[in-house]
Amino acid sequence: MAALSLFLDVPLTREVNWLLDAYQEDPSPDKLGPLFLLADCQTEMGKAWVCPTVRQTLLQIASDPTLDHEYLPVLGFPEFTRAATELALGRESRAVIENRAGGVHTVGGTGAVRIGAEFLRHWYNTSSPSPIAVYIAFPQTANSGQPVLVAQVLSCFQSAPDCSIVVLHAPEETGLTPKQWEEVARVMGRKRLFPFFDIPAQGLASGDLDRDAWALRHFVAQGFELFCAQSFSKTFGLYDERVGNLIVVARDNETLVRIRSQLQKQVMGMWATPASLGARVITTVLNNPALLNKWKQSLRMLAEKIMLIREKLKEKLRILGTPGFWDHLTAQSGTRSFTGLLSSQVAFLEKHKHIYLLGSGQVSVCSINSHNLDYVAQSINEAVSSTEGRAQGLSWAEME
Amino acid sequence: MAALSLFLDVPLTREVNWLLDAYQEDPSPDKLGPLFLLADCQTEMGKAWVCPTVRQTLLQIASDPTLDHEYLPVLGFPEFTRAATELALGRESRAVIENRAGGVHTVGGTGAVRIGAEFLRHWYNTSSPSPIAVYIAFPQTANSGQPVLVAQVLSCFQSAPDCSIVVLHAPEETGLTPKQWEEVARVMGRKRLFPFFDIPAQGLASGDLDRDAWALRHFVAQGFELFCAQSFSKTFGLYDERVGNLIVVARDNETLVRIRSQLQKQVMGMWATPASLGARVITTVLNNPALLNKWKQSLRMLAEKIMLIREKLKEKLRILGTPGFWDHLTAQSGTRSFTGLLSSQVAFLEKHKHIYLLGSGQVSVCSINSHNLDYVAQSINEAVSSTEGRAQGLSWAEME
């Protein structure tokens, strides 16, 4: 055999994990983190929150002697995709009643985005001579939802090439009003922009499942064809079972059938069929009125807790006299907050306070609790006081 | 909104499911199937076989109150990938001892093949001006393992472009002798062909885990860098939990680290992190000597049962005087048999006997049991007697 590796040219990439690596290599006993991206909803004790009904249902399913662990169909557990799709669109949705909305059970929300993107790459607007532009709207920057910013986004959409694809990420967390969403839908309809919703935690923003789905349902009611990636990791605390759903809303049932047949082909080459257990747990809860009520109650409590943390943090920063405006902490909702900290301030926190955030200043609100709140507020205060200005994050990013 | 769908041009594809659809639409009460591709190991009662230790372990894990259901790392459950990699390569493998073999926990064997293929597409032999040829070797045709066929495969490898990629599918089921594998490795080494093993059911061919891994271990011992997709669906009867592993054997640890960092990037965009429960069950069994022994015993029993079905079917065909040679039924091993039936004979079985096989004549041996054996043998006899000749399936297929 040759003495040299075939893979000499493969570069080491730390893109994925550099922050976690930095955190893990930090020897300080005071280090706090990782307060970023994937961090999940935690209890006061710093342990990941698991929806109580989930444990009970999981145990029930695992002890079922009739469960034979055969492969699920390629598109997944049909009862799950039906229940999940109805949860997002509403049972009374015209798209549901007219049988032109359907789901694909995927490996988490990431899998739903990927499968949908692969489909669009093959089949979306194939007659267009130029590549389709993709916009990612509303990563929740410090000032999302503010009128100026919404106007900026609308003017961006207005100047976008017709038929571009727009990923509407976490619409429930943006703080946009129904009126603002109506305007977004109007502009997108006029420009024939294709909406690809990404809903990571329906119910955790306002505590109300229907309210969090308002924007999506409005687009459906306006007659849009659209995709929606749906995740159940945060809302059920079942991060490790990777349960997602790609909702397809098509013009009619026949179109839906054709689209799903092609999605099936994509799935075959990606993971063949999804894992079943997490989806079985979630389906059991969604289809059982008593369990469903308990779960809704958990969501409300969790959403209230998250809002309380936001309020406490804002109040602490006010008392400390931290420069800048911090109203966005409570104007936004959901598990993540875009603090608006500059990257130099994020670096300050990392270097001097051993607190690890993403460069964008995004923090997982759920990882702040009564034990670390004072330290976090004090550290942010020092970071902001020791540097100047506050970031005005962009509201959307254009991809190739 | 426009009255026409954006997806008018998307064709309906029945590629994936046409056989299952045909089976399901067949109104005959005698219909038998689906005896094809994904069909799993079944009990005498026609229910999918679940490894008994699996049920017990699953229940144990589901009742563990300390399990917090947090996300697994991107590359999966580390204890699982370690145990799985050692199961395939052997604990004494130089690659394991030298810390240059490692795994990526994937969504089933399909996920392992896909992640590996995506990596190779980006990083394999990037200096080559022409596209890399990919050969898929040894789908178990009726006469695989026969000297003439092995010679054909070797001559094909000899005339392949240097550095081509060869997918060695289900090596444990081919019936090739160690001597024949040595010759395959010699030719592949000379031509610098890259081996991508795909091992769907280690232990189910011979009933012995080590014996089934002989070819893979020989390549590793010869110093090859290689990939190996490993699946646990069949061997644990845990089809619906989608547990796979992509084994990477590299020249040295530093190369392994670089490759895994890039694989991590692929995973992030595909499913972010894999589901955990199935991998936890399998890891528990692999790391507990008592459970491991029970599992090995189950594998032996299942492999014996499969071989017995093969022998019975061959014997029935002999008694019926079915034209042709049927020794390959027992020369091959494992859960699938390539019967060597012509596609016209497969069509005859479907039309007249309501038995559904893949066009290649592949049958899942496990789906034959004492209740349907006579009917299957009688039907094959009629199919072969009513048409002429027997298929000489190809031993490899060239892809772009």
Side-chain angles (χ1 to χ4, degrees), chain B residues 160-359:
Chain B
D162 282 7
C163 301
S164 297
I165 293 167
V166 176
V167 177
L168 294 160
H169 180 66
E172 72 278 18
E173 298 180 8
T174 54
L176 261 69
T177 63
K179 234 185 173 57
Q180 288 173 322
W181 276 117
E182 280 169 8
E183 185 58 20
V184 171
R186 245 192 312 275
V187 172
M188 285 183 61
R190 215 156 40 220
K191 295 286 292 182
R192 287 176 294 139
L193 306 183
F194 181 77
F196 193 146
F197 280 86
D198 178 19
I199 300 194
Q202 183 189 351
L204 273 191
S206 70
D208 181 283
L209 286 158
D210 296 323
R211 199 169 147 198
D212 278 9
W214 198 92
L216 172 67
R217 293 179 187 179
H218 177 70
F219 274 76
V220 174
Q222 294 304 302
F224 280 84
E225 289 185 303
L226 55 81
F227 280 3
C228 174
Q230 194 182 12
S231 166
F232 290 90
S233 301
K234 286 197 169 97
T235 47
F236 279 83
L238 255 186
Y239 301 89
D240 67 342
E241 290 309 322
R242 314 297 298 119
V243 189
N245 185 35
L246 175 66
I247 299 171
V248 178
V249 176
R251 179 70 67 238
D252 47 45
N253 176 262
E254 184 265 336
T255 307
L256 175 67
V257 169
R258 282 187 285 112
I259 293 175
R260 278 175 39 117
S261 80
Q262 293 292 346
L263 286 167
Q264 196 172 28
K265 218 172 125 185
Q266 297 291 340
V267 171
M268 278 300 287
M270 197 95 69
W271 54 67
T273 85
S276 85
L277 206 107
R280 283 184 199 277
V281 170
I282 289 163
T283 309
T284 306
V285 174
L286 294 182
N287 286 338
N288 176 315
L291 295 178
L292 183 63
N293 265 336
K294 271 196 196 170
W295 176 60
K296 283 183 181 173
Q297 212 176 325
S298 305
L299 282 183
R300 263 195 305 275
M301 281 170 52
L302 208 54
E304 278 165 21
K305 193 191 136 195
I306 291 167
M307 195 42 88
L308 198 64
I309 296 169
R310 290 174 173 278
E311 275 161 14
K312 279 186 182 165
L313 182 59
K314 187 171 96 173
E315 179 62 9
K316 290 263 177 210
L317 292 174
R318 192 190 61 75
I319 292 169
L320 291 168
T322 312
F325 302 96
W326 300 94
D327 287 346
H328 57 277
L329 287 179
T330 50
Q332 301 164 358
S333 53
T335 58
R336 294 164 305 167
S337 180
F338 289 76
T339 55
L341 292 170
L342 296 168
S343 60
S344 59
Q345 294 161 345
V346 170
F348 177 96
L349 286 175
E350 191 174 319
K351 193 170 168 199
H352 299 290
K353 312 306 289 184
H354 310 283
I355 293 179
Y356 292 81
L357 309 187
L358 286 182

Side-chain angles (χ1 to χ4, degrees), chain A residues 364-381:
Chain A
S364 164
V365 180
C366 302
S367 50
I368 303 176
N369 54 43
S370 55
H371 301 294
N372 60 29
L373 176 67
D374 284 342
Y375 182 72
V376 170
Q378 185 61 49
S379 303
I380 290 178
N381 181 52

